[in-house]
Coordinates of all heavy atoms in Angstrom, one line a residue:
M1 N -12.7 -13.2 -23.2 CA -12.4 -14.2 -22.3 C -13.3 -14.1 -21.1 O -13.6 -13.0 -20.6 CB -10.9 -14.0 -21.8 CG -10.6 -14.9 -20.7 SD -9.4 -14.5 -19.5 CE -7.8 -14.5 -20.2
L2 N -13.8 -15.2 -20.6 CA -14.7 -15.3 -19.5 C -13.9 -15.5 -18.2 O -13.0 -16.3 -18.1 CB -15.7 -16.4 -19.6 CG -16.7 -16.2 -20.8 CD1 -17.5 -17.5 -20.9 CD2 -17.6 -15.0 -20.6
R3 N -14.3 -14.8 -17.2 CA -13.7 -14.9 -15.9 C -14.7 -15.0 -14.8 O -15.7 -14.3 -14.9 CB -12.7 -13.7 -15.5 CG -11.5 -13.7 -16.3 CD -10.6 -12.7 -15.8 NE -11.1 -11.4 -16.2 CZ -10.5 -10.2 -15.9 NH1 -9.4 -10.2 -15.2 NH2 -10.9 -9.1 -16.4
S4 N -14.5 -15.8 -13.8 CA -15.4 -15.9 -12.7 C -15.2 -14.6 -11.8 O -14.2 -14.0 -11.8 CB -15.1 -17.1 -11.8 OG -15.3 -18.3 -12.6
V5 N -16.3 -14.3 -11.1 CA -16.2 -13.1 -10.2 C -15.1 -13.4 -9.2 O -15.0 -14.5 -8.6 CB -17.6 -12.9 -9.5 CG1 -17.5 -11.8 -8.5 CG2 -18.6 -12.6 -10.5
G6 N -14.3 -12.4 -8.9 CA -13.2 -12.5 -7.9 C -11.9 -13.0 -8.5 O -10.9 -12.9 -7.8
Q7 N -11.9 -13.4 -9.7 CA -10.6 -13.9 -10.3 C -9.9 -12.8 -11.0 O -10.6 -11.9 -11.6 CB -10.8 -15.1 -11.2 CG -11.2 -16.3 -10.6 CD -11.3 -17.5 -11.6 OE1 -11.5 -17.3 -12.7 NE2 -11.0 -18.7 -11.1
T8 N -8.6 -12.8 -11.0 CA -7.9 -11.8 -11.8 C -7.1 -12.5 -12.9 O -6.8 -13.6 -12.8 CB -6.9 -11.0 -10.9 OG1 -6.0 -11.9 -10.3 CG2 -7.6 -10.2 -9.8
Q9 N -6.9 -11.7 -13.9 CA -6.1 -12.3 -15.1 C -4.6 -12.3 -14.7 O -4.1 -11.4 -14.1 CB -6.3 -11.4 -16.3 CG -5.6 -11.9 -17.5 CD -5.9 -11.1 -18.7 OE1 -6.6 -10.1 -18.6 NE2 -5.4 -11.4 -19.9
V10 N -4.0 -13.4 -15.0 CA -2.6 -13.6 -14.8 C -1.8 -13.3 -16.0 O -2.2 -13.8 -17.1 CB -2.2 -15.0 -14.3 CG1 -0.7 -15.2 -14.1 CG2 -3.0 -15.4 -13.1
T11 N -0.8 -12.4 -15.9 CA -0.1 -12.0 -17.1 C 1.2 -12.8 -17.1 O 1.7 -13.3 -16.1 CB 0.3 -10.5 -17.1 OG1 1.0 -10.2 -16.0 CG2 -1.0 -9.7 -17.1
S12 N 1.9 -12.8 -18.3 CA 3.1 -13.6 -18.4 C 4.3 -12.8 -17.8 O 5.4 -13.4 -17.6 CB 3.4 -13.9 -19.9 OG 3.5 -12.7 -20.6
S13 N 4.1 -11.6 -17.4 CA 5.3 -10.8 -16.9 C 5.6 -11.2 -15.5 O 6.7 -10.8 -15.0 CB 5.0 -9.3 -17.0 OG 3.9 -9.0 -16.1
G14 N 4.8 -11.9 -14.8 CA 5.1 -12.4 -13.4 C 4.7 -11.4 -12.4 O 3.9 -11.7 -11.5
T15 N 5.2 -10.2 -12.4 CA 4.9 -9.2 -11.4 C 3.9 -8.1 -12.1 O 4.2 -7.7 -13.2 CB 6.1 -8.5 -10.9 OG1 7.0 -9.5 -10.4 CG2 5.8 -7.5 -9.8
D16 N 2.9 -7.7 -11.4 CA 2.0 -6.7 -11.8 C 2.7 -5.4 -12.1 O 3.4 -5.0 -11.2 CB 0.9 -6.6 -10.8 CG -0.2 -5.6 -11.2 OD1 -0.1 -5.0 -12.3 OD2 -1.1 -5.4 -10.4
P17 N 2.6 -4.8 -13.3 CA 3.3 -3.6 -13.6 C 2.8 -2.5 -12.6 O 3.6 -1.5 -12.4 CB 2.9 -3.2 -15.0 CG 1.9 -4.2 -15.4 CD 1.8 -5.3 -14.4
Q18 N 1.7 -2.6 -12.0 CA 1.3 -1.6 -11.0 C 1.7 -2.0 -9.6 O 1.3 -1.4 -8.6 CB -0.2 -1.5 -11.0 CG -0.8 -1.1 -12.4 CD -0.2 0.3 -12.8 OE1 -0.1 1.2 -12.1 NE2 0.2 0.4 -14.1
D19 N 2.6 -3.0 -9.4 CA 3.1 -3.4 -8.2 C 3.8 -2.2 -7.5 O 4.7 -1.7 -8.0 CB 4.1 -4.6 -8.4 CG 4.6 -5.2 -7.1 OD1 4.5 -4.5 -6.0 OD2 5.0 -6.4 -7.1
P20 N 3.3 -1.9 -6.3 CA 3.9 -0.7 -5.6 C 5.4 -0.9 -5.3 O 6.1 0.1 -5.2 CB 3.1 -0.5 -4.4 CG 2.3 -1.8 -4.2 CD 2.2 -2.4 -5.5
R21 N 5.8 -2.1 -5.1 CA 7.2 -2.4 -4.9 C 8.1 -2.0 -6.1 O 9.2 -1.4 -5.9 CB 7.5 -3.8 -4.5 CG 6.7 -4.3 -3.3 CD 6.8 -5.8 -3.1 NE 6.4 -6.5 -4.3 CZ 6.7 -7.8 -4.6 NH1 7.3 -8.5 -3.7 NH2 6.2 -8.4 -5.7
V22 N 7.6 -2.4 -7.3 CA 8.3 -2.0 -8.5 C 8.4 -0.5 -8.7 O 9.4 0.1 -9.0 CB 7.7 -2.7 -9.7 CG1 8.3 -2.3 -11.0 CG2 7.8 -4.2 -9.6
T23 N 7.2 0.1 -8.4 CA 7.2 1.6 -8.5 C 8.1 2.3 -7.5 O 8.9 3.2 -7.9 CB 5.7 2.1 -8.3 OG1 4.9 1.4 -9.2 CG2 5.6 3.6 -8.4
A24 N 8.1 1.8 -6.3 CA 9.0 2.4 -5.3 C 10.5 2.2 -5.6 O 11.3 3.1 -5.5 CB 8.7 1.7 -3.9
L25 N 10.8 1.0 -6.2 CA 12.2 0.8 -6.6 C 12.6 1.7 -7.7 O 13.7 2.4 -7.7 CB 12.4 -0.6 -7.0 CG 13.8 -1.0 -7.5 CD1 14.9 -0.7 -6.4 CD2 13.9 -2.5 -7.9
G26 N 11.7 1.9 -8.7 CA 12.0 2.8 -9.8 C 12.2 4.2 -9.4 O 13.1 4.9 -9.8
V27 N 11.3 4.7 -8.5 CA 11.4 6.1 -8.0 C 12.7 6.3 -7.2 O 13.4 7.3 -7.4 CB 10.1 6.4 -7.1 CG1 10.3 7.7 -6.3 CG2 8.9 6.5 -8.0
A28 N 13.0 5.3 -6.4 CA 14.2 5.4 -5.5 C 15.5 5.4 -6.4 O 16.4 6.2 -6.1 CB 14.3 4.3 -4.5
V29 N 15.5 4.6 -7.4 CA 16.7 4.5 -8.2 C 16.9 5.8 -9.0 O 18.0 6.3 -9.2 CB 16.7 3.3 -9.2 CG1 17.7 3.3 -10.3 CG2 16.8 2.0 -8.3
R30 N 15.8 6.3 -9.6 CA 15.8 7.6 -10.3 C 16.3 8.7 -9.5 O 17.1 9.5 -9.9 CB 14.5 7.9 -11.0 CG 14.2 7.0 -12.2 CD 12.9 7.5 -12.9 NE 11.7 7.4 -12.1 CZ 10.9 6.4 -12.0 NH1 11.3 5.2 -12.6 NH2 9.9 6.4 -11.3
R31 N 15.8 8.8 -8.2 CA 16.3 9.8 -7.3 C 17.8 9.7 -7.1 O 18.5 10.7 -7.1 CB 15.5 9.7 -6.0 CG 16.0 10.7 -5.0 CD 15.4 10.5 -3.6 NE 16.0 11.4 -2.6 CZ 15.9 11.3 -1.3 NH1 15.1 10.3 -0.8 NH2 16.5 12.1 -0.5
L32 N 18.3 8.5 -6.7 CA 19.7 8.4 -6.5 C 20.5 8.7 -7.7 O 21.6 9.3 -7.6 CB 20.0 7.0 -5.9 CG 21.4 6.8 -5.5 CD1 21.9 7.8 -4.5 CD2 21.6 5.4 -4.9
R33 N 20.1 8.3 -8.9 CA 20.8 8.6 -10.1 C 20.9 10.1 -10.3 O 22.0 10.6 -10.7 CB 20.2 7.9 -11.3 CG 20.4 6.4 -11.3 CD 19.8 5.7 -12.5 NE 20.6 6.0 -13.7 CZ 20.3 5.7 -14.9 NH1 19.1 5.1 -15.1 NH2 21.1 5.9 -15.9
R34 N 19.8 10.8 -10.1 CA 19.8 12.3 -10.2 C 20.7 12.9 -9.2 O 21.5 13.8 -9.6 CB 18.4 12.8 -10.0 CG 17.5 12.8 -11.2 CD 16.2 13.7 -10.9 NE 15.6 13.5 -9.6 CZ 14.7 12.6 -9.3 NH1 14.3 11.7 -10.2 NH2 14.2 12.5 -8.1
E35 N 20.7 12.5 -8.0 CA 21.5 13.1 -7.0 C 23.0 12.8 -7.2 O 23.9 13.6 -7.0 CB 21.1 12.6 -5.6 CG 19.7 13.3 -5.2 CD 19.3 13.0 -3.8 OE1 20.2 12.7 -2.9 OE2 18.1 13.2 -3.5
L36 N 23.3 11.6 -7.7 CA 24.7 11.2 -8.0 C 25.2 12.0 -9.1 O 26.3 12.5 -9.1 CB 24.7 9.7 -8.3 CG 26.1 9.1 -8.6 CD1 27.1 9.3 -7.4 CD2 26.0 7.6 -8.9
A37 N 24.4 12.2 -10.2 CA 24.8 13.0 -11.3 C 25.0 14.4 -10.9 O 25.9 15.1 -11.5 CB 23.7 12.9 -12.4
G38 N 24.3 14.9 -10.0 CA 24.4 16.3 -9.6 C 25.5 16.6 -8.5 O 25.8 17.7 -8.1
H39 N 26.0 15.5 -8.0 CA 27.0 15.6 -6.9 C 28.3 16.1 -7.5 O 28.9 15.5 -8.4 CB 27.2 14.3 -6.2 CG 27.9 14.4 -4.9 ND1 29.3 14.4 -4.9 CD2 27.6 14.6 -3.6 CE1 29.7 14.5 -3.6 NE2 28.7 14.7 -2.9
P40 N 28.9 17.2 -6.9 CA 30.1 17.7 -7.5 C 31.4 16.9 -7.2 O 32.3 17.0 -7.9 CB 30.2 19.1 -6.9 CG 29.5 19.0 -5.6 CD 28.4 18.0 -5.8
G41 N 31.3 16.2 -6.2 CA 32.5 15.5 -5.7 C 32.9 14.3 -6.7 O 32.0 13.7 -7.3
R42 N 34.1 14.0 -6.7 CA 34.6 12.9 -7.5 C 35.1 11.8 -6.5 O 35.8 12.1 -5.6 CB 35.7 13.3 -8.5 CG 35.3 14.1 -9.6 CD 34.5 13.3 -10.6 NE 33.8 14.2 -11.5 CZ 32.7 13.9 -12.1 NH1 32.2 12.7 -11.9 NH2 32.0 14.7 -12.8
F43 N 34.8 10.6 -6.8 CA 35.3 9.5 -6.0 C 35.6 8.3 -6.9 O 35.0 8.2 -8.0 CB 34.4 9.1 -4.8 CG 32.9 9.0 -5.2 CD1 32.3 7.8 -5.5 CD2 32.1 10.2 -5.2 CE1 31.0 7.8 -5.9 CE2 30.8 10.1 -5.5 CZ 30.2 8.9 -5.9
P44 N 36.5 7.5 -6.5 CA 37.0 6.4 -7.4 C 36.0 5.4 -7.9 O 36.1 4.9 -9.1 CB 38.1 5.7 -6.6 CG 38.1 6.3 -5.3 CD 37.2 7.4 -5.2
D45 N 35.0 5.1 -7.2 CA 34.0 4.1 -7.6 C 32.7 4.6 -8.1 O 31.7 3.9 -8.2 CB 33.8 3.2 -6.4 CG 35.0 2.4 -6.0 OD1 35.8 2.1 -6.8 OD2 35.1 2.0 -4.8
R46 N 32.7 5.9 -8.5 CA 31.5 6.5 -9.1 C 31.0 5.7 -10.3 O 29.8 5.5 -10.4 CB 31.8 7.9 -9.4 CG 30.6 8.7 -9.8 CD 30.9 10.1 -10.1 NE 29.7 10.9 -10.2 CZ 29.5 12.0 -9.6 NH1 30.4 12.5 -8.8 NH2 28.3 12.7 -9.7
D47 N 31.9 5.2 -11.1 CA 31.4 4.5 -12.3 C 30.7 3.2 -11.9 O 29.7 2.8 -12.6 CB 32.6 4.1 -13.2 CG 33.1 5.4 -13.9 OD1 32.4 6.4 -14.0 OD2 34.3 5.3 -14.4
I48 N 31.2 2.6 -10.9 CA 30.5 1.3 -10.4 C 29.1 1.7 -9.9 O 28.1 1.0 -10.2 CB 31.3 0.7 -9.2 CG1 32.7 0.2 -9.8 CG2 30.5 -0.4 -8.6 CD1 33.6 -0.3 -8.7
A49 N 29.0 2.8 -9.1 CA 27.6 3.2 -8.7 C 26.7 3.4 -9.8 O 25.6 3.0 -9.8 CB 27.8 4.4 -7.7
D50 N 27.2 4.2 -10.8 CA 26.4 4.5 -12.0 C 25.9 3.2 -12.7 O 24.8 3.1 -13.1 CB 27.2 5.4 -13.0 CG 27.3 6.8 -12.5 OD1 26.4 7.3 -11.9 OD2 28.3 7.4 -12.9
R51 N 26.9 2.3 -12.9 CA 26.6 1.1 -13.6 C 25.5 0.2 -12.9 O 24.6 -0.3 -13.5 CB 27.8 0.3 -13.9 CG 27.6 -1.0 -14.6 CD 28.9 -1.8 -14.9 NE 29.5 -2.2 -13.6 CZ 30.7 -1.9 -13.3 NH1 31.5 -1.2 -14.0 NH2 31.2 -2.3 -12.1
E52 N 25.7 0.1 -11.6 CA 24.8 -0.7 -10.8 C 23.4 -0.1 -10.7 O 22.4 -0.8 -10.5 CB 25.4 -1.1 -9.4 CG 26.6 -2.0 -9.5 CD 26.3 -3.3 -10.3 OE1 25.2 -3.9 -10.1 OE2 27.2 -3.7 -11.1
L53 N 23.3 1.3 -10.7 CA 22.0 1.9 -10.7 C 21.3 1.7 -12.0 O 20.1 1.6 -12.0 CB 22.2 3.4 -10.4 CG 22.5 3.7 -8.9 CD1 22.9 5.2 -8.8 CD2 21.4 3.4 -8.0
V54 N 22.1 1.6 -13.1 CA 21.4 1.2 -14.4 C 20.9 -0.2 -14.3 O 19.7 -0.5 -14.8 CB 22.5 1.3 -15.5 CG1 21.9 0.7 -16.8 CG2 22.8 2.8 -15.8
V55 N 21.6 -1.1 -13.6 CA 21.1 -2.5 -13.5 C 19.8 -2.5 -12.6 O 18.8 -3.1 -13.0 CB 22.2 -3.4 -12.8 CG1 21.6 -4.7 -12.4 CG2 23.4 -3.5 -13.7
L56 N 19.8 -1.7 -11.5 CA 18.6 -1.7 -10.7 C 17.4 -1.1 -11.4 O 16.3 -1.5 -11.3 CB 18.9 -0.9 -9.4 CG 19.6 -1.6 -8.3 CD1 20.1 -0.7 -7.2 CD2 18.7 -2.7 -7.7
A57 N 17.7 0.0 -12.2 CA 16.6 0.6 -13.0 C 16.0 -0.4 -14.0 O 14.8 -0.5 -14.2 CB 17.1 1.8 -13.7
A58 N 16.9 -1.2 -14.6 CA 16.5 -2.2 -15.6 C 15.7 -3.3 -14.9 O 14.7 -3.8 -15.4 CB 17.7 -2.8 -16.3
L59 N 16.1 -3.7 -13.7 CA 15.4 -4.7 -13.0 C 14.0 -4.2 -12.6 O 13.0 -4.9 -12.7 CB 16.2 -5.1 -11.7 CG 17.4 -6.0 -12.0 CD1 18.3 -6.1 -10.7 CD2 17.0 -7.4 -12.4
A60 N 13.9 -3.0 -12.2 CA 12.6 -2.4 -11.8 C 11.7 -2.3 -13.0 O 10.5 -2.6 -12.9 CB 12.8 -1.0 -11.2
A61 N 12.3 -1.9 -14.2 CA 11.5 -1.8 -15.4 C 11.0 -3.2 -15.9 O 10.0 -3.2 -16.6 CB 12.3 -1.0 -16.4
S62 N 11.8 -4.2 -15.6 CA 11.4 -5.5 -16.1 C 10.1 -6.1 -15.6 O 9.5 -6.9 -16.2 CB 12.5 -6.5 -15.8 OG 12.5 -6.9 -14.4
G63 N 9.7 -5.6 -14.5 CA 8.4 -6.1 -13.9 C 8.6 -7.3 -13.1 O 7.7 -7.7 -12.4
Q64 N 9.8 -8.0 -13.1 CA 10.0 -9.2 -12.4 C 11.4 -9.2 -11.8 O 12.3 -9.9 -12.3 CB 9.7 -10.4 -13.1 CG 10.1 -10.4 -14.6 CD 9.7 -11.7 -15.3 OE1 10.6 -12.3 -15.8 NE2 8.4 -12.0 -15.4
P65 N 11.7 -8.2 -10.9 CA 13.1 -8.1 -10.4 C 13.6 -9.3 -9.7 O 12.9 -10.0 -9.0 CB 13.0 -6.9 -9.5 CG 11.7 -6.3 -9.7 CD 10.8 -7.3 -10.4
D66 N 14.9 -9.6 -9.9 CA 15.6 -10.7 -9.3 C 16.1 -10.2 -8.0 O 17.0 -9.3 -8.0 CB 16.7 -11.2 -10.2 CG 17.4 -12.4 -9.7 OD1 17.9 -12.3 -8.5 OD2 17.6 -13.4 -10.4
I67 N 15.7 -10.8 -6.9 CA 16.0 -10.3 -5.5 C 17.5 -10.4 -5.3 O 18.2 -9.5 -4.8 CB 15.3 -11.1 -4.4 CG1 13.8 -10.8 -4.6 CG2 15.8 -10.7 -3.1 CD1 12.9 -11.6 -3.7
C68 N 18.1 -11.5 -5.8 CA 19.6 -11.7 -5.6 C 20.4 -10.6 -6.4 O 21.3 -10.0 -5.8 CB 20.0 -13.1 -6.1 SG 19.4 -14.4 -5.1
L69 N 20.0 -10.3 -7.6 CA 20.7 -9.3 -8.4 C 20.4 -7.9 -7.8 O 21.4 -7.1 -7.7 CB 20.2 -9.3 -9.8 CG 20.6 -10.4 -10.7 CD1 20.0 -10.4 -12.1 CD2 22.2 -10.4 -10.8
M70 N 19.2 -7.7 -7.3 CA 19.0 -6.4 -6.6 C 19.8 -6.2 -5.4 O 20.4 -5.1 -5.2 CB 17.5 -6.2 -6.2 CG 16.6 -6.1 -7.4 SD 14.9 -5.6 -6.9 CE 14.5 -6.9 -5.7
R71 N 19.9 -7.2 -4.6 CA 20.7 -7.0 -3.4 C 22.2 -6.9 -3.7 O 22.9 -6.2 -3.1 CB 20.5 -8.2 -2.4 CG 19.1 -8.1 -1.8 CD 18.9 -9.2 -0.8 NE 17.6 -9.0 -0.1 CZ 17.4 -8.2 0.9 NH1 18.3 -7.5 1.4 NH2 16.1 -8.1 1.4
R72 N 22.7 -7.6 -4.7 CA 24.1 -7.5 -5.1 C 24.4 -6.1 -5.6 O 25.4 -5.5 -5.2 CB 24.4 -8.5 -6.3 CG 25.8 -8.4 -6.8 CD 26.0 -9.3 -8.0 NE 27.3 -9.1 -8.6 CZ 27.6 -8.1 -9.5 NH1 26.7 -7.2 -9.8 NH2 28.8 -8.0 -10.0
S73 N 23.5 -5.6 -6.5 CA 23.7 -4.2 -7.0 C 23.6 -3.2 -5.9 O 24.4 -2.2 -5.8 CB 22.6 -3.9 -8.0 OG 22.8 -4.6 -9.2
L74 N 22.7 -3.4 -4.9 CA 22.6 -2.5 -3.8 C 23.9 -2.4 -3.0 O 24.4 -1.4 -2.6 CB 21.4 -2.9 -2.9 CG 21.2 -2.1 -1.6 CD1 21.0 -0.6 -1.9 CD2 20.1 -2.7 -0.8
L75 N 24.5 -3.6 -2.7 CA 25.7 -3.7 -2.0 C 26.8 -3.0 -2.7 O 27.7 -2.2 -2.1 CB 26.1 -5.1 -1.7 CG 25.3 -5.8 -0.6 CD1 25.7 -7.3 -0.6 CD2 25.6 -5.2 0.7
L76 N 26.9 -3.1 -4.0 CA 27.9 -2.5 -4.8 C 27.8 -1.0 -4.8 O 28.7 -0.2 -4.7 CB 28.0 -3.0 -6.3 CG 28.5 -4.4 -6.4 CD1 28.2 -5.0 -7.8 CD2 30.0 -4.5 -6.1
V77 N 26.5 -0.5 -4.9 CA 26.2 0.9 -4.9 C 26.6 1.5 -3.5 O 27.3 2.5 -3.4 CB 24.8 1.2 -5.2 CG1 24.4 2.7 -5.0 CG2 24.5 0.9 -6.7
A78 N 26.2 0.8 -2.5 CA 26.5 1.3 -1.1 C 28.0 1.3 -0.9 O 28.5 2.3 -0.3 CB 25.8 0.4 -0.1
G79 N 28.7 0.3 -1.4 CA 30.2 0.3 -1.2 C 30.8 1.4 -2.0 O 31.8 2.0 -1.6
A80 N 30.3 1.7 -3.2 CA 30.8 2.8 -4.0 C 30.6 4.2 -3.5 O 31.5 5.0 -3.7 CB 30.3 2.6 -5.5
I81 N 29.5 4.4 -2.9 CA 29.2 5.8 -2.5 C 29.0 5.9 -1.0 O 28.6 7.0 -0.5 CB 27.9 6.4 -3.2 CG1 26.7 5.6 -2.8 CG2 28.1 6.4 -4.7 CD1 25.4 6.2 -3.3
G82 N 29.4 4.9 -0.3 CA 29.1 4.8 1.2 C 29.6 6.0 2.0 O 29.0 6.4 3.0
S83 N 30.7 6.6 1.6 CA 31.3 7.6 2.4 C 30.8 9.0 2.0 O 31.2 10.0 2.5 CB 32.8 7.6 2.3 OG 33.2 7.9 1.0
V84 N 29.9 9.1 1.0 CA 29.4 10.4 0.5 C 28.1 10.6 1.3 O 27.0 10.2 0.8 CB 29.2 10.4 -1.0 CG1 28.7 11.7 -1.5 CG2 30.5 10.0 -1.7
S85 N 28.2 11.3 2.4 CA 27.0 11.5 3.3 C 25.9 12.2 2.6 O 24.7 12.0 3.0 CB 27.4 12.2 4.6 OG 28.0 13.5 4.3
A86 N 26.1 13.1 1.6 CA 25.0 13.8 1.0 C 24.1 12.9 0.2 O 22.9 13.2 0.0 CB 25.6 14.8 0.0
L87 N 24.6 11.7 -0.1 CA 23.8 10.7 -0.9 C 23.1 9.7 0.0 O 22.3 8.9 -0.5 CB 24.6 10.0 -1.9 CG 25.3 10.9 -3.0 CD1 26.2 10.1 -3.9 CD2 24.3 11.7 -3.8
T88 N 23.3 9.8 1.3 CA 22.8 8.8 2.2 C 21.3 8.7 2.2 O 20.7 7.5 2.1 CB 23.3 9.0 3.6 OG1 24.7 8.9 3.6 CG2 22.8 8.0 4.6
P89 N 20.5 9.8 2.2 CA 19.1 9.6 2.2 C 18.5 8.9 1.0 O 17.6 8.1 1.0 CB 18.5 11.1 2.3 CG 19.7 11.8 3.0 CD 20.9 11.2 2.5
A90 N 19.1 9.3 -0.2 CA 18.6 8.6 -1.4 C 19.1 7.2 -1.5 O 18.3 6.3 -1.9 CB 19.2 9.4 -2.6
L91 N 20.2 6.8 -1.0 CA 20.7 5.5 -0.9 C 19.8 4.6 0.0 O 19.4 3.5 -0.3 CB 22.1 5.4 -0.4 CG 22.7 4.0 -0.3 CD1 22.7 3.2 -1.6 CD2 24.1 4.0 0.2
F92 N 19.4 5.2 1.2 CA 18.5 4.6 2.1 C 17.1 4.3 1.4 O 16.5 3.2 1.7 CB 18.3 5.4 3.4 CG 17.5 4.7 4.4 CD1 18.0 3.7 5.1 CD2 16.1 5.1 4.6 CE1 17.2 3.0 6.1 CE2 15.3 4.4 5.5 CZ 15.8 3.4 6.2
Q93 N 16.7 5.2 0.6 CA 15.4 5.0 -0.1 C 15.5 3.8 -1.0 O 14.6 3.0 -1.1 CB 15.0 6.3 -0.9 CG 13.7 6.1 -1.5 CD 13.3 7.4 -2.3 OE1 14.0 8.3 -2.4 NE2 12.1 7.4 -2.8
V94 N 16.6 3.7 -1.7 CA 16.8 2.5 -2.6 C 16.9 1.2 -1.8 O 16.2 0.2 -2.1 CB 18.1 2.6 -3.4 CG1 18.4 1.4 -4.2 CG2 18.0 3.8 -4.4
R95 N 17.6 1.3 -0.7 CA 17.7 0.1 0.2 C 16.3 -0.3 0.7 O 15.9 -1.5 0.7 CB 18.6 0.4 1.4 CG 18.6 -0.8 2.4 CD 19.5 -0.5 3.6 NE 19.3 -1.5 4.5 CZ 19.4 -1.3 5.8 NH1 19.5 -0.1 6.3 NH2 19.2 -2.3 6.6
S96 N 15.5 0.6 1.1 CA 14.1 0.4 1.6 C 13.3 -0.2 0.5 O 12.5 -1.2 0.7 CB 13.5 1.6 2.1 OG 14.2 2.1 3.2
A97 N 13.4 0.3 -0.7 CA 12.7 -0.3 -1.9 C 13.1 -1.7 -2.2 O 12.2 -2.5 -2.5 CB 12.8 0.6 -3.1
V98 N 14.3 -2.0 -2.1 CA 14.8 -3.4 -2.4 C 14.3 -4.3 -1.3 O 13.8 -5.4 -1.6 CB 16.4 -3.4 -2.4 CG1 16.9 -4.9 -2.4 CG2 16.9 -2.7 -3.7
E99 N 14.3 -3.8 -0.1 CA 13.8 -4.7 1.1 C 12.3 -5.0 1.0 O 11.9 -6.0 1.5 CB 14.1 -4.0 2.4 CG 15.6 -4.1 2.7 CD 16.0 -3.4 4.0 OE1 15.1 -2.6 4.6 OE2 17.1 -3.6 4.4
L100 N 11.6 -4.2 0.2 CA 10.1 -4.5 0.0 C 9.9 -5.9 -0.7 O 8.9 -6.5 -0.5 CB 9.4 -3.4 -0.8 CG 9.3 -2.0 -0.1 CD1 8.8 -1.0 -1.1 CD2 8.4 -2.1 1.1
F101 N 10.9 -6.3 -1.4 CA 10.8 -7.6 -2.1 C 11.1 -8.8 -1.3 O 10.9 -9.9 -1.7 CB 11.7 -7.6 -3.4 CG 11.2 -6.6 -4.4 CD1 11.6 -5.3 -4.4 CD2 10.4 -7.1 -5.4 CE1 11.2 -4.4 -5.4 CE2 9.9 -6.2 -6.4 CZ 10.3 -4.9 -6.4
G102 N 11.5 -8.6 -0.1 CA 11.7 -9.7 0.9 C 13.1 -10.2 0.8 O 14.0 -9.7 0.2
E103 N 13.3 -11.4 1.5 CA 14.6 -12.0 1.6 C 14.9 -12.8 0.3 O 14.0 -13.1 -0.5 CB 14.5 -13.0 2.8 CG 14.3 -12.3 4.1 CD 15.5 -11.4 4.5 OE1 16.7 -11.8 4.3 OE2 15.2 -10.3 5.0
V104 N 16.2 -13.1 0.2 CA 16.7 -13.9 -0.9 C 16.1 -15.3 -0.7 O 16.3 -15.9 0.3 CB 18.2 -13.9 -1.0 CG1 18.7 -14.8 -2.1 CG2 18.7 -12.4 -1.1
P105 N 15.5 -15.8 -1.8 CA 15.0 -17.2 -1.6 C 16.1 -18.2 -1.5 O 17.2 -18.0 -2.1 CB 14.3 -17.5 -3.0 CG 14.4 -16.3 -3.8 CD 15.2 -15.2 -3.0
R106 N 15.9 -19.2 -0.7 CA 17.0 -20.2 -0.4 C 16.7 -21.5 -1.1 O 15.7 -21.9 -1.3 CB 17.2 -20.4 1.1 CG 17.6 -19.2 1.7 CD 17.8 -19.4 3.2 NE 18.1 -18.1 3.8 CZ 19.2 -17.8 4.4 NH1 20.2 -18.7 4.4 NH2 19.4 -16.6 4.9

């Protein structure tokens, strides 16, 4: 395939797999999942947090995360583990990674 100088190839996946936002989201979600799995405490909404972290991981792996779904999952995770202060730094990292994608389109 011929390309002009300065042009890049567009892939059908939408988001570049090397997109640092996708990488940051994947790293943050994996960290929170590890910390949640290792947390000894039990709380009623732990299953919700686990399920929504799976959703966030899948969105990150898809290469074209849906901002609305990411924010919804983030809210559910935050609500589920919000009172567990030991998980706050990892949760903040996920929040920061989601925010890299910008505002919800209107």
Side-chain angles (χ1 to χ4, degrees):
M1 173 205 289
L2 296 173
R3 287 189 284 180
S4 298
V5 176
Q7 288 185 332
T8 58
Q9 183 176 1
V10 177
T11 62
S12 62
S13 68
T15 303
D16 182 358
Q18 300 301 315
D19 185 337
R21 301 172 305 167
V22 173
T23 302
L25 179 59
V27 167
V29 167
R30 285 189 299 275
R31 174 186 175 195
L32 184 52
R33 289 181 76 188
R34 276 193 316 272
E35 290 188 19
L36 182 60
H39 192 274
R42 291 286 162 207
F43 45 93
D45 294 331
R46 188 179 191 129
D47 290 340
I48 293 170
D50 285 329
R51 183 179 61 237
E52 293 304 319
L53 286 171
V54 168
V55 170
L56 280 169
L59 288 167
S62 76
Q64 36 182 244
D66 180 309
I67 296 170
C68 292
L69 287 177
M70 287 189 309
R71 289 187 177 273
R72 178 189 174 278
S73 291
L74 176 60
L75 285 172
L76 289 170
V77 170
I81 65 174
S83 64
V84 182
S85 60
L87 300 174
T88 300
L91 178 60
F92 183 76
Q93 184 180 4
V94 172
R95 177 182 171 215
S96 296
V98 168
E99 288 178 348
L100 292 173
F101 289 89
E103 295 297 316
V104 175
R106 295 182 189 244

